[in-house]
Amino acid sequence: MKTRLLSLLFLFCNSFVFAQVKFDQKQLDETLKSLQEATQTIGFSVAIVQGNELIYSKGFGYRDLENKLAADENTLYAIGSSSKAFTVALLGIMEDEEGLKFTDSPRKYLPELEFYNDDLNNQVTIIDMISHRTGLPRHDISWYLFPTHDKDSLIARVKYQEPFTGIRSQWYYNNFMYLAQGLITEKLTGKSWEENIKTRFFLPLQMATSNTSITELISQKNISKGYSLENFQTNTMMPYYDIAAISPAGSINSSAKEMANWVRVWLNKGKFNDTQILPEAYVEKAINPLMLVGGGIGDKQFPDQHLNSYGFAWFTSSYKGHYRLEHGGNIDGFSANVSFFPTDSLGIVVLTNQNGSALPDLARNAIADEILGLNKTDWKAYHLGKVEESKKQQEKSKEAEKSSTISNTKPSHSLAEYTGNYQNPGYGIFKILLENDSLWAQFPREKMYLGHRHYDIFLPHMMKNGKLKAESSFPVNFNFQTNDAGDISEVKLKFEPTVDPIPFTRNPEEASVSKEKLESYVGIYALSGANLKISINDGQLKLLVPGQPEYTLIPIKENEFAIKGLTGFKVRFEETEEILNMLLIQPNGTFTATKK
């Protein structure tokens, strides 16, 4: 009886403490505004949950800067990888309802999933995929620049993605493994991942405006635009990114107030009001860590923030002595963080419309300091110090790139000889194009200008609002390779720091010119007393200049050809008043030869 009385008293005291939490809302508002100013964030929204109550929800700044539309607690943002906990939670429900085991092989439910080797095929478990310990690197460029809406074709790329370390030997983030989890839930339920998220979570949690696609997002009224802070000083709007088939890894769009209902589930043993959303047994299991992240201490400036680990789509750690679970999210124009402190019954949601923003983490920490009565860190000063470090590092990187570039070198081939389709089965196909005497890389999602760096290495420059960025904003060298025949055969791209550069095999794509048109160019052309000869050999035009070797002409257009092996040299045929001219376009000028 005495033990029971003490237990009841303990529970009563705990509930009393949670109900009586007080904080200075005005002071918190000022703190959050100062962080917004420091990070130069256009707009953001915050929600705070204590126990089963929403105790604070508010928007700051603008959801639409151009039209001066204010953000509020109901504004919708892309939450990116904060979606992952929803995907694993579906598996938690499947464990309860369908007999799924987290220690099962994913191939038990998804036999079409193939890994790079038999060790992975035979040993990887679902819980390995959840905790990012398969030994696979990210390969995010595969879905980001080569998007598809076909989940099956996207997961098929995993077979060609080489691991960099052994299974369970190192934590390394991987979005493809969350696509696989989403596909498992589809196989078990016969419904799409998107439909499962809606029926299992959005509807019972009263998340009426939350959704899983850009199409659904833009149909809503209270939505935020996304922005990017360029060069630490200028915000520009970013287009929405359709995450397509990788959706189980991060496609949810939501508001701070609706996400607060999701956090309430985790603080109340899987319940929302009187509805059991998640199995209580799953919640008890899923608040525990599975794999240590790095060395366990994230920032040496804060040694009391330790034991950084990863669990069931939650990063776990001790924050100033308080156990915390959290997960961030980043996708074009948006950043997010969703966190909760289970032993303190505190939940925090921060959603922003700034790309790669530090604000969600800073605001989360400042809120925790305030609500939990902790020693307050000056997070604004901390952030500004990090910005200065980033600026210095950026300058060092520029200098390193400049010093390592070898001047006065040229490509080994004419630019037309680099063009074609480039393919890797773990990624997809992109094109190298020649436009206005320049090389361009056309990916399914982006087009980039390739500026020559040295030898056969080119640096990509991305477009921004129709304009070319002066500096390379995609720091991956395009390293073109030559085969034994002397032709450009592939390009290697260092997309992953932990594995060798990814090879893309070249398939030349020349302009189609009819046999009749080629034959019309055949003949002798007079140029300053010299006779130049155009002939056909093996279906290709040949140019013979007296005293020089015979050149092969590569068709760029029907009437325009690159001279193989000569950079910057082209031939164009133009017909004027029944006279056919051959223009020899060279770096030192254009010369006209007339057909006899």
Side-chain angles (χ1 to χ4, degrees):
M1 178 65 71
K2 184 176 181 181
T3 302
R4 179 182 295 180
L5 180 62
L6 288 174
S7 297
L8 288 173
L9 180 61
F10 176 75
L11 290 173
F12 174 77
C13 289
N14 270 353
S15 62
F16 179 79
V17 170
F18 295 149
Q20 293 297 313
V21 166
K22 294 181 180 180
F23 61 97
D24 189 333
Q25 290 200 21
K26 183 177 180 181
Q27 178 59 50
L28 181 59
D29 287 352
E30 292 303 316
T31 298
L32 294 176
K33 287 177 183 177
S34 71
L35 291 175
Q36 179 186 14
E37 179 184 354
T39 56
Q40 302 179 66
T41 303
I42 299 298
F44 70 105
S45 299
V46 174
I48 305 174
V49 174
Q50 185 76 38
N52 201 26
E53 300 294 328
L54 178 67
I55 62 172
Y56 180 97
S57 61
K58 194 168 186 176
F60 297 82
Y62 297 107
R63 62 181 175 91
D64 182 338
L65 178 63
E66 291 72 25
N67 294 301
K68 296 294 186 290
L69 300 178
D72 60 32
E73 66 271 27
N74 296 308
T75 298
L76 292 172
Y77 304 79
I79 71 168
S81 288
S82 296
S83 307
K84 283 182 168 64
F86 287 85
T87 296
V88 186
L90 283 177
L91 292 177
I93 294 173
M94 298 301 102
E95 180 185 36
D96 184 61
E97 296 180 355
E98 304 290 340
L100 173 141
K101 295 180 180 178
F102 285 101
T103 53
D104 286 339
S105 166
R107 288 159 56 81
K108 175 180 178 180
Y109 309 96
L110 200 63
E112 61 269 34
L113 173 63
E114 291 187 68
F115 290 97
Y116 188 81
N117 56 39
D118 287 340
D119 283 347
L120 289 166
N121 284 327
N122 297 330
Q123 296 182 38
V124 167
T125 65
I126 294 173
I127 205 163
D128 292 329
M129 298 195 305
I130 290 170
S131 54
H132 300 298
R133 61 190 193 194
T134 60
L136 290 171
R138 296 180 67 133
H139 290 293
D140 281 339
I141 297 299
S142 178
W143 60 263
Y144 187 80
L145 285 184
F146 300 85
T148 174
H149 282 86
D150 187 335
K151 292 188 180 82
D152 291 333
S153 67
L154 186 59
I155 201 66
R157 298 177 188 177
V158 171
K159 179 180 179 180
Y160 305 97
Q161 296 174 356
E162 184 177 2
F164 76 96
T165 189
I167 301 169
R168 304 179 200 103
S169 63
Q170 184 177 334
W171 182 89
Y172 206 89
Y173 203 80
N174 188 290
N175 284 298
F176 274 94
M177 296 301 95
Y178 275 75
L179 166 61
Q181 293 169 56
L183 285 169
I184 290 172
T185 65
E186 292 188 351
K187 289 296 180 70
L188 287 171
T189 63
K191 299 177 181 179
S192 70
W193 173 86
E194 289 79 2
E195 187 177 354
N196 282 322
I197 292 296
K198 181 178 180 180
T199 58
R200 292 290 190 165
F201 301 128
F202 291 167
L203 290 177
L205 290 176
Q206 301 173 16
M207 299 173 71
T209 62
S210 297
N211 57 77
T212 57
S213 72
I214 296 301
T215 301
E216 294 172 288
L217 174 68
I218 62 178
S219 70
Q220 304 279 352
K221 291 183 178 180
N222 190 356
I223 63 175
S224 179
K225 293 181 178 179
Y227 298 89
S228 174
L229 182 63
E230 305 289 336
N231 298 318
F232 304 100
Q233 57 186 8
T234 305
N235 274 294
T236 58
M237 192 171 70
M238 294 188 77
Y240 293 122
Y241 178 75
D242 182 2
I243 203 168
I246 202 77
S247 53
S251 70
I252 291 176
N253 308 297
S254 190
S255 67
K257 194 169 184 179
E258 290 187 357
M259 285 297 293
N261 291 346
W262 170 242
V263 173
R264 285 170 61 187
V265 169
W266 288 92
L267 294 177
N268 293 280
K269 299 182 178 181
K271 280 190 175 183
F272 176 71
N273 296 330
D274 294 325
T275 303
Q276 193 74 43
I277 304 298
L278 293 176
E280 184 176 341
Y282 171 71
V283 174
E284 290 177 357
K285 174 168 57 181
I287 62 174
N288 289 286
L290 291 170
M291 189 71 177
L292 193 68
V293 176
I297 297 177
D299 192 327
K300 293 181 179 179
Q301 293 185 47
F302 300 97
D304 55 347
Q305 297 176 35
H306 54 273
L307 297 178
N308 293 295
S309 303
Y310 198 87
F312 291 75
W314 296 108
F315 286 94
T316 67
S317 64
S318 173
Y319 176 78
K320 299 184 179 181
H322 292 254
Y323 186 58
R324 181 182 72 192
L325 293 95
E326 58 89 13
H327 209 295
N330 289 281
I331 198 66
D332 292 24
F334 298 93
S335 302
N337 191 272
V338 180
S339 65
F340 63 99
F341 297 73
T343 56
D344 297 288
S345 202
L346 172 67
I348 303 167
V349 178
V350 185
L351 310 179
T352 73
N353 58 14
Q354 184 183 70
N355 191 59
S357 179
L359 179 63
D361 288 0
L362 297 170
R364 176 204 64 209
N365 291 349
I367 291 168
D369 289 350
E370 180 71 34
I371 302 296
L372 298 177
L374 306 175
N375 290 331
K376 295 181 180 178
T377 299
D378 187 343
W379 291 109
K380 179 178 179 179
Y382 170 80
H383 171 70
L384 294 176
K386 289 289 186 182
V387 169
E388 290 305 312
E389 288 179 18
S390 296
K391 288 179 179 179
K392 291 177 182 178
Q393 185 57 50
Q394 191 178 79
E395 289 301 316
K396 287 181 180 179
S397 297
K398 289 179 184 177
E399 289 299 320
E401 180 183 310
K402 184 177 180 181
S403 63
S404 63
T405 298
I406 302 171
S407 58
N408 300 318
T409 64
K410 295 181 179 179
S412 63
H413 294 65
S414 61
L415 294 183
E417 294 176 75
Y418 297 84
T419 62
N421 294 317
Y422 288 77
Q423 181 177 17
N424 180 283
Y427 282 72
I429 300 173
F430 74 95
K431 293 179 180 290
I432 297 290
L433 309 170
L434 180 61
E435 296 178 359
N436 300 321
D437 297 327
S438 298
L439 286 185
W440 296 78
Q442 178 65 69
F443 292 92
R445 183 179 183 271
E446 294 277 355
K447 187 176 183 179
M448 306 177 190
Y449 163 72
L450 299 184
H452 182 245
R453 183 180 180 189
H454 53 222
Y455 300 119
D456 282 335
I457 295 178
F458 293 74
L459 267 180
H461 299 257
M462 298 181 74
M463 305 291 288
K464 183 74 173 180
N465 298 326
K467 297 181 180 179
L468 191 65
K469 284 191 173 183
E471 298 177 351
S472 175
S473 52
F474 191 72
V476 176
N477 285 321
F478 279 60
N479 190 347
F480 290 92
Q481 307 291 303
T482 305
N483 60 19
D484 291 342
D487 298 320
I488 299 297
S489 58
E490 67 178 15
V491 64
K492 291 186 175 182
L493 301 170
K494 186 69 172 173
F495 284 149
E496 289 296 330
T498 58
V499 294
D500 292 336
I502 309 298
F504 287 79
T505 302
R506 175 178 179 258
N507 293 303
E509 186 180 64
E510 299 177 357
S512 178
V513 184
S514 68
K515 181 181 178 182
E516 292 74 20
K517 178 60 71 173
L518 290 176
E519 289 175 344
S520 71
Y521 298 142
V522 172
I524 303 299
Y525 293 76
L527 175 63
S528 301
N531 290 327
L532 282 61
K533 181 181 178 181
I534 294 292
S535 61
I536 296 179
N537 187 4
D538 292 332
Q540 289 186 304
L541 281 189
K542 304 288 183 175
L543 168 63
L544 183 61
V545 178
Q548 297 185 31
E550 188 176 54
Y551 298 105
T552 299
L553 303 185
I554 302 171
I556 303 172
K557 301 176 182 177
E558 187 179 57
N559 68 327
E560 189 169 298
F561 300 76
I563 302 178
K564 185 174 182 179
L566 296 179
T567 301
F569 289 76
K570 292 191 296 185
V571 169
R572 183 187 302 141
F573 295 96
E574 292 184 351
E575 190 170 352
T576 307
E577 297 178 358
E578 299 183 357
I579 297 174
L580 185 61
N581 291 325
M582 178 174 63
L583 278 62
L584 301 175
I585 303 167
Q586 304 176 181
N588 61 333
T590 300
F591 305 90
T592 302
T594 303
K595 187 177 182 181
K596 289 186 175 181

